[in-house]
Coordinates of all heavy atoms in Angstrom, one line a residue:
M1 N 20.6 77.1 -20.8 CA 20.0 76.3 -19.7 C 18.5 76.8 -19.5 O 17.6 76.0 -19.3 CB 20.8 76.5 -18.4 CG 20.1 75.7 -17.3 SD 21.4 75.1 -16.3 CE 20.6 74.3 -15.1
V2 N 18.3 78.1 -19.6 CA 17.0 78.7 -19.5 C 16.1 78.2 -20.6 O 15.0 77.9 -20.4 CB 17.1 80.2 -19.4 CG1 15.7 80.8 -19.5 CG2 17.8 80.7 -18.2
K3 N 16.7 78.1 -21.8 CA 16.0 77.7 -23.0 C 15.5 76.2 -22.8 O 14.4 75.8 -23.2 CB 16.8 77.8 -24.3 CG 16.9 79.3 -24.7 CD 17.7 79.4 -26.0 CE 17.8 80.8 -26.4 NZ 18.5 81.0 -27.6
D4 N 16.4 75.4 -22.2 CA 16.1 74.0 -22.0 C 14.9 73.9 -21.0 O 14.1 73.0 -21.2 CB 17.3 73.2 -21.5 CG 18.4 73.1 -22.5 OD1 18.1 73.1 -23.7 OD2 19.6 72.9 -22.1
L5 N 15.0 74.7 -20.0 CA 13.9 74.7 -19.0 C 12.6 75.1 -19.7 O 11.5 74.6 -19.4 CB 14.2 75.6 -17.8 CG 15.2 75.0 -16.9 CD1 15.6 76.1 -15.8 CD2 14.8 73.7 -16.2
Q6 N 12.6 76.1 -20.5 CA 11.4 76.6 -21.2 C 10.9 75.5 -22.1 O 9.7 75.3 -22.2 CB 11.7 77.9 -22.0 CG 12.0 79.1 -21.1 CD 12.4 80.3 -21.9 OE1 12.9 80.2 -23.0 NE2 12.3 81.5 -21.3
K7 N 11.8 74.8 -22.8 CA 11.3 73.7 -23.7 C 10.6 72.6 -22.9 O 9.6 72.1 -23.3 CB 12.5 73.2 -24.5 CG 13.0 74.1 -25.6 CD 14.1 73.4 -26.3 CE 14.7 74.3 -27.4 NZ 15.9 73.7 -28.1
T8 N 11.2 72.3 -21.8 CA 10.7 71.3 -20.9 C 9.3 71.7 -20.4 O 8.4 70.9 -20.4 CB 11.6 71.0 -19.7 OG1 12.9 70.7 -20.2 CG2 11.1 69.9 -18.9
T9 N 9.2 72.9 -20.0 CA 7.9 73.4 -19.5 C 6.8 73.4 -20.6 O 5.7 73.0 -20.4 CB 8.0 74.9 -19.0 OG1 9.0 74.9 -17.9 CG2 6.7 75.4 -18.4
V10 N 7.2 73.8 -21.8 CA 6.3 73.8 -23.0 C 5.9 72.4 -23.3 O 4.7 72.1 -23.5 CB 7.0 74.5 -24.2 CG1 6.1 74.3 -25.4 CG2 7.2 76.0 -23.9
S11 N 6.8 71.5 -23.3 CA 6.5 70.1 -23.6 C 5.6 69.5 -22.5 O 4.7 68.7 -22.8 CB 7.7 69.2 -23.8 OG 8.5 69.2 -22.7
K12 N 5.8 69.9 -21.2 CA 5.0 69.4 -20.2 C 3.6 69.9 -20.3 O 2.6 69.2 -20.2 CB 5.5 69.8 -18.8 CG 6.6 68.9 -18.2 CD 6.9 69.4 -16.8 CE 7.9 68.6 -16.1 NZ 8.3 69.1 -14.8
N13 N 3.5 71.2 -20.7 CA 2.1 71.8 -20.9 C 1.4 71.1 -22.0 O 0.2 70.9 -22.0 CB 2.2 73.3 -21.1 CG 2.6 74.0 -19.8 OD1 2.5 73.5 -18.7 ND2 3.2 75.2 -19.9
A14 N 2.1 70.9 -23.1 CA 1.5 70.2 -24.3 C 1.1 68.8 -23.9 O 0.0 68.4 -24.3 CB 2.5 70.2 -25.4
L15 N 1.9 68.1 -23.1 CA 1.5 66.8 -22.7 C 0.3 66.8 -21.8 O -0.6 65.9 -21.9 CB 2.7 66.1 -22.0 CG 2.6 64.7 -21.6 CD1 2.4 63.8 -22.8 CD2 3.9 64.2 -20.9
L16 N 0.3 67.7 -20.9 CA -0.9 67.8 -20.0 C -2.2 68.2 -20.7 O -3.2 67.6 -20.5 CB -0.6 68.9 -18.9 CG 0.4 68.4 -17.8 CD1 0.7 69.6 -16.9 CD2 -0.1 67.2 -17.0
A17 N -2.0 69.0 -21.7 CA -3.2 69.4 -22.5 C -3.7 68.2 -23.3 O -4.9 68.0 -23.4 CB -2.8 70.5 -23.5
E18 N -2.8 67.4 -23.8 CA -3.2 66.2 -24.6 C -3.8 65.2 -23.7 O -4.8 64.5 -24.0 CB -1.9 65.6 -25.3 CG -2.3 64.4 -26.2 CD -1.1 63.9 -26.9 OE1 -0.1 64.6 -27.1 OE2 -1.2 62.7 -27.4
I19 N -3.3 65.0 -22.5 CA -3.9 64.1 -21.5 C -5.3 64.5 -21.2 O -6.3 63.7 -21.1 CB -3.0 64.0 -20.2 CG1 -1.7 63.2 -20.5 CG2 -3.8 63.3 -19.1 CD1 -0.7 63.3 -19.4
N20 N -5.5 65.8 -20.9 CA -6.8 66.3 -20.6 C -7.8 66.1 -21.8 O -9.0 65.8 -21.6 CB -6.8 67.8 -20.2 CG -6.2 68.0 -18.8 OD1 -6.3 67.1 -18.0 ND2 -5.6 69.2 -18.6
E21 N -7.3 66.4 -23.0 CA -8.1 66.2 -24.2 C -8.5 64.7 -24.3 O -9.7 64.4 -24.6 CB -7.3 66.6 -25.4 CG -8.0 67.0 -26.6 CD -7.1 67.5 -27.7 OE1 -6.5 68.6 -27.5 OE2 -7.0 66.8 -28.7
R22 N -7.6 63.8 -24.1 CA -8.0 62.4 -24.2 C -9.0 62.0 -23.1 O -9.9 61.2 -23.3 CB -6.7 61.5 -24.1 CG -5.9 61.6 -25.3 CD -4.7 60.6 -25.3 NE -3.9 60.8 -26.4 CZ -2.9 59.9 -26.8 NH1 -2.7 58.9 -26.0 NH2 -2.2 60.1 -27.9
K23 N -8.8 62.5 -21.9 CA -9.8 62.2 -20.8 C -11.1 62.7 -21.2 O -12.1 62.0 -20.9 CB -9.3 62.8 -19.5 CG -8.2 62.1 -18.8 CD -7.8 62.8 -17.5 CE -6.7 62.1 -16.8 NZ -6.3 62.7 -15.5
Q24 N -11.2 63.9 -21.7 CA -12.5 64.4 -22.1 C -13.1 63.6 -23.3 O -14.3 63.3 -23.2 CB -12.4 65.9 -22.6 CG -12.1 66.9 -21.5 CD -11.9 68.3 -22.0 OE1 -11.7 68.5 -23.2 NE2 -11.8 69.2 -21.0
A25 N -12.3 63.2 -24.2 CA -12.8 62.3 -25.3 C -13.3 61.0 -24.8 O -14.3 60.5 -25.2 CB -11.7 62.1 -26.3
E26 N -12.6 60.4 -23.8 CA -13.0 59.2 -23.2 C -14.3 59.3 -22.5 O -15.2 58.5 -22.6 CB -11.9 58.7 -22.3 CG -12.2 57.3 -21.7 CD -11.0 56.8 -20.9 OE1 -9.9 57.1 -21.2 OE2 -11.3 56.1 -19.9
S27 N -14.5 60.4 -21.7 CA -15.7 60.6 -21.0 C -16.9 60.8 -21.9 O -18.0 60.3 -21.7 CB -15.6 61.7 -19.9 OG -15.4 62.9 -20.6
E28 N -16.6 61.5 -23.0 CA -17.7 61.8 -24.0 C -18.0 60.5 -24.7 O -19.2 60.2 -24.9 CB -17.2 62.8 -25.1 CG -18.1 63.1 -26.2 CD -19.3 63.9 -25.7 OE1 -19.3 64.4 -24.6 OE2 -20.3 64.0 -26.5
S29 N -17.1 59.6 -24.9 CA -17.3 58.3 -25.5 C -18.2 57.5 -24.6 O -19.1 56.8 -25.1 CB -16.0 57.6 -25.9 OG -16.2 56.3 -26.3
K30 N -17.9 57.4 -23.3 CA -18.7 56.7 -22.4 C -20.1 57.2 -22.3 O -21.0 56.4 -22.2 CB -18.0 56.7 -21.0 CG -16.8 55.8 -20.9 CD -16.2 55.9 -19.5 CE -14.9 55.1 -19.4 NZ -14.3 55.1 -18.1
R31 N -20.2 58.5 -22.3 CA -21.6 59.1 -22.3 C -22.4 58.7 -23.5 O -23.5 58.4 -23.4 CB -21.5 60.6 -22.2 CG -22.8 61.3 -22.0 CD -22.7 62.8 -22.1 NE -22.4 63.3 -23.4 CZ -23.2 63.4 -24.4 NH1 -24.5 63.1 -24.2 NH2 -22.8 63.8 -25.6
L32 N -21.8 58.8 -24.7 CA -22.5 58.4 -25.9 C -22.8 56.9 -25.9 O -23.9 56.6 -26.4 CB -21.6 58.8 -27.1 CG -21.5 60.3 -27.4 CD1 -20.5 60.6 -28.5 CD2 -22.8 60.9 -27.7
Q33 N -21.9 56.1 -25.4 CA -22.2 54.7 -25.4 C -23.4 54.4 -24.4 O -24.3 53.6 -24.7 CB -21.0 53.9 -24.9 CG -20.0 53.7 -25.9 CD -18.7 53.0 -25.4 OE1 -18.6 52.8 -24.2 NE2 -17.8 52.6 -26.3
S34 N -23.5 55.1 -23.3 CA -24.6 55.0 -22.4 C -25.9 55.4 -23.0 O -26.9 54.8 -22.9 CB -24.3 55.8 -21.1 OG -25.4 55.8 -20.3
E35 N -25.8 56.5 -23.7 CA -27.0 57.1 -24.4 C -27.5 56.1 -25.5 O -28.7 55.9 -25.7 CB -26.6 58.4 -25.0 CG -27.8 59.2 -25.5 CD -27.4 60.6 -25.9 OE1 -26.6 61.3 -25.3 OE2 -28.0 61.1 -27.0
L36 N -26.5 55.5 -26.2 CA -26.9 54.5 -27.3 C -27.6 53.3 -26.7 O -28.6 52.8 -27.2 CB -25.7 54.1 -28.1 CG -25.9 53.1 -29.1 CD1 -26.8 53.5 -30.2 CD2 -24.5 52.6 -29.7
L37 N -27.0 52.8 -25.6 CA -27.6 51.7 -24.9 C -29.1 52.0 -24.4 O -30.0 51.2 -24.6 CB -26.8 51.3 -23.7 CG -27.2 50.0 -22.9 CD1 -27.2 48.8 -23.8 CD2 -26.3 49.8 -21.7
R38 N -29.3 53.2 -23.9 CA -30.6 53.6 -23.4 C -31.6 53.7 -24.6 O -32.7 53.2 -24.5 CB -30.5 55.0 -22.8 CG -31.7 55.3 -21.9 CD -31.5 56.6 -21.1 NE -30.1 56.8 -20.6 CZ -29.3 57.8 -20.8 NH1 -29.8 58.8 -21.6 NH2 -28.1 57.9 -20.3
A39 N -31.1 54.2 -25.8 CA -31.9 54.3 -27.0 C -32.3 52.9 -27.5 O -33.4 52.7 -27.9 CB -31.2 55.1 -28.0
Q40 N -31.3 52.0 -27.4 CA -31.6 50.6 -27.9 C -32.6 49.9 -27.0 O -33.5 49.2 -27.5 CB -30.3 49.8 -27.9 CG -29.4 50.2 -29.0 CD -28.0 49.5 -29.0 OE1 -27.6 49.1 -27.9 NE2 -27.4 49.4 -30.1
K41 N -32.5 50.2 -25.7 CA -33.5 49.6 -24.8 C -34.9 50.2 -25.0 O -35.9 49.4 -25.0 CB -33.1 49.9 -23.3 CG -32.0 49.1 -22.8 CD -31.6 49.5 -21.4 CE -30.4 48.7 -20.8 NZ -30.1 49.1 -19.5
M42 N -35.0 51.5 -25.3 CA -36.3 52.1 -25.6 C -36.9 51.5 -26.9 O -38.1 51.3 -27.0 CB -36.2 53.6 -25.7 CG -35.9 54.2 -24.3 SD -37.1 53.9 -23.1 CE -38.5 54.8 -23.8
E43 N -36.0 51.3 -27.9 CA -36.4 50.7 -29.1 C -37.0 49.3 -28.9 O -38.0 48.9 -29.5 CB -35.3 50.6 -30.1 CG -35.6 50.1 -31.5 CD -34.5 49.9 -32.4 OE1 -33.3 50.2 -32.0 OE2 -34.7 49.6 -33.6
I44 N -36.4 48.5 -28.1 CA -36.8 47.1 -27.8 C -38.2 47.2 -27.1 O -39.1 46.4 -27.4 CB -35.8 46.4 -26.9 CG1 -34.6 46.1 -27.8 CG2 -36.4 45.1 -26.4 CD1 -33.4 45.6 -27.0
V45 N -38.4 48.1 -26.2 CA -39.6 48.2 -25.5 C -40.7 48.7 -26.4 O -41.8 48.1 -26.4 CB -39.5 49.3 -24.3 CG1 -40.9 49.6 -23.7 CG2 -38.6 48.7 -23.2
G46 N -40.4 49.6 -27.3 CA -41.4 50.0 -28.3 C -41.8 48.9 -29.3 O -43.0 48.7 -29.6
T47 N -40.8 48.1 -29.7 CA -41.1 46.9 -30.6 C -42.0 45.9 -29.8 O -42.9 45.4 -30.4 CB -39.8 46.3 -31.0 OG1 -39.0 47.2 -31.7 CG2 -40.1 45.1 -32.0
L48 N -41.7 45.7 -28.6 CA -42.5 44.7 -27.8 C -43.9 45.3 -27.6 O -44.9 44.5 -27.8 CB -41.8 44.5 -26.4 CG -42.6 43.6 -25.5 CD1 -42.6 42.2 -26.0 CD2 -41.9 43.6 -24.1
A49 N -44.1 46.5 -27.3 CA -45.4 47.1 -27.2 C -46.2 47.1 -28.5 O -47.4 46.8 -28.5 CB -45.3 48.6 -26.7
A50 N -45.5 47.3 -29.6 CA -46.2 47.2 -30.9 C -46.7 45.8 -31.2 O -47.8 45.6 -31.7 CB -45.3 47.7 -32.0
G51 N -45.8 44.8 -30.8 CA -46.2 43.4 -31.0 C -47.4 43.1 -30.2 O -48.4 42.4 -30.6
V52 N -47.4 43.5 -28.9 CA -48.5 43.2 -28.0 C -49.8 43.9 -28.5 O -50.9 43.3 -28.5 CB -48.2 43.6 -26.6 CG1 -49.4 43.6 -25.7 CG2 -47.1 42.7 -26.0
A53 N -49.7 45.1 -28.9 CA -50.9 45.9 -29.4 C -51.4 45.2 -30.7 O -52.6 45.1 -30.9 CB -50.5 47.3 -29.7
H54 N -50.5 44.7 -31.5 CA -51.0 44.1 -32.8 C -51.7 42.8 -32.5 O -52.8 42.5 -33.0 CB -49.7 43.7 -33.7 CG -50.1 43.1 -34.9 ND1 -50.7 43.7 -36.0 CD2 -49.9 41.8 -35.3 CE1 -50.9 42.8 -37.0 NE2 -50.4 41.6 -36.6
D55 N -51.2 42.0 -31.6 CA -51.8 40.7 -31.2 C -53.2 41.0 -30.5 O -54.2 40.3 -30.8 CB -50.9 39.9 -30.3 CG -49.7 39.3 -31.0 OD1 -49.7 39.3 -32.2 OD2 -48.8 38.9 -30.3
L56 N -53.2 42.0 -29.6 CA -54.5 42.3 -29.0 C -55.5 42.8 -30.0 O -56.7 42.5 -29.9 CB -54.2 43.4 -27.9 CG -55.4 43.8 -27.0 CD1 -55.9 42.6 -26.2 CD2 -55.0 44.9 -26.1
N57 N -55.0 43.6 -31.0 CA -56.0 44.1 -32.0 C -56.5 42.9 -32.8 O -57.7 42.9 -33.2 CB -55.2 45.1 -32.9 CG -56.2 45.8 -33.8 OD1 -57.4 46.0 -33.5 ND2 -55.7 46.1 -35.0
N58 N -55.7 41.9 -33.1 CA -56.2 40.8 -33.9 C -57.3 40.0 -33.1 O -58.3 39.6 -33.7 CB -55.0 39.8 -34.1 CG -54.1 40.3 -35.2 OD1 -54.4 41.2 -36.0 ND2 -52.9 39.7 -35.3
I59 N -57.1 39.9 -31.8 CA -58.1 39.2 -31.0 C -59.4 40.0 -30.9 O -60.5 39.5 -31.1 CB -57.6 38.9 -29.6 CG1 -56.4 37.9 -29.6 CG2 -58.7 38.4 -28.6 CD1 -55.7 37.7 -28.4
L60 N -59.2 41.3 -30.7 CA -60.4 42.2 -30.5 C -61.1 42.4 -31.8 O -62.4 42.5 -31.8 CB -59.9 43.6 -30.0 CG -59.5 43.6 -28.5 CD1 -59.0 45.0 -28.2 CD2 -60.6 43.2 -27.6
S61 N -60.4 42.4 -32.9 CA -61.2 42.5 -34.2 C -62.1 41.3 -34.5 O -63.2 41.5 -35.0 CB -60.2 42.7 -35.4 OG -59.4 41.5 -35.6
G62 N -61.6 40.2 -34.1 CA -62.5 39.0 -34.2 C -63.7 39.1 -33.3 O -64.8 38.7 -33.7
I63 N -63.5 39.6 -32.1 CA -64.6 39.7 -31.1 C -65.6 40.8 -31.6 O -66.8 40.6 -31.6 CB -64.1 40.0 -29.7 CG1 -63.3 38.8 -29.2 CG2 -65.2 40.4 -28.8 CD1 -62.6 39.1 -27.9
V64 N -65.1 41.9 -32.0 CA -65.9 43.0 -32.4 C -66.7 42.7 -33.7 O -67.8 43.1 -33.9 CB -65.1 44.3 -32.6 CG1 -65.8 45.4 -33.2 CG2 -64.5 44.7 -31.2
S65 N -66.0 42.0 -34.7 CA -66.7 41.8 -36.0 C -67.6 40.6 -35.9 O -68.5 40.4 -36.8 CB -65.6 41.6 -37.0 OG -64.9 40.4 -36.8
Y66 N -67.5 39.7 -34.9 CA -68.4 38.5 -34.8 C -69.9 38.9 -34.7 O -70.7 38.3 -35.4 CB -67.9 37.6 -33.7 CG -68.7 36.4 -33.6 CD1 -68.6 35.4 -34.5 CD2 -69.6 36.2 -32.5 CE1 -69.3 34.2 -34.4 CE2 -70.4 35.0 -32.4 CZ -70.2 34.0 -33.4 OH -70.9 32.9 -33.3
P67 N -70.3 39.8 -33.8 CA -71.7 40.1 -33.7 C -72.3 40.7 -35.0 O -73.5 40.5 -35.2 CB -71.8 41.2 -32.6 CG -70.6 41.0 -31.8 CD -69.5 40.5 -32.8
N68 N -71.5 41.3 -35.8 CA -72.1 41.8 -37.1 C -72.4 40.7 -38.0 O -73.2 40.6 -38.8 CB -71.1 42.8 -37.8 CG -70.9 44.0 -37.0 OD1 -71.8 44.4 -36.2 ND2 -69.8 44.7 -37.2

């Protein structure tokens, strides 16, 4: 009977350890997804800024080179 109780306790501890491990993995996954989303947003902003700078440069180059 004592052995049965010890086995039950060991299996409970193993189960709790696995649950904690899965919770940590899930929270890490959520954190990484959030970080990826933030990086994608920054990439979009950078691409937009590059496009605006390119268009502005095209306009300015015509204005700057015209007096020459």
Side-chain angles (χ1 to χ4, degrees):
M1 179 142 180
V2 172
K3 288 183 182 182
D4 290 337
L5 287 175
Q6 288 173 342
K7 285 181 184 178
T8 303
T9 303
V10 169
S11 64
K12 275 186 181 179
N13 289 340
L15 187 59
L16 289 174
E18 186 175 338
I19 289 171
N20 286 335
E21 203 174 291
R22 286 187 183 191
K23 283 182 180 179
Q24 288 176 350
E26 187 177 325
S27 66
E28 179 70 11
S29 175
K30 285 181 182 179
R31 185 187 68 79
L32 289 173
Q33 286 176 347
S34 173
E35 193 173 320
L36 176 62
L37 183 62
R38 198 173 320 123
Q40 288 173 336
K41 286 180 183 178
M42 292 301 292
E43 181 183 7
I44 290 169
V45 169
T47 303
L48 179 65
V52 169
H54 179 74
D55 290 345
L56 185 60
N57 189 31
N58 286 343
I59 294 170
L60 289 177
S61 66
I63 293 171
V64 170
S65 64
Y66 182 71
N68 291 335

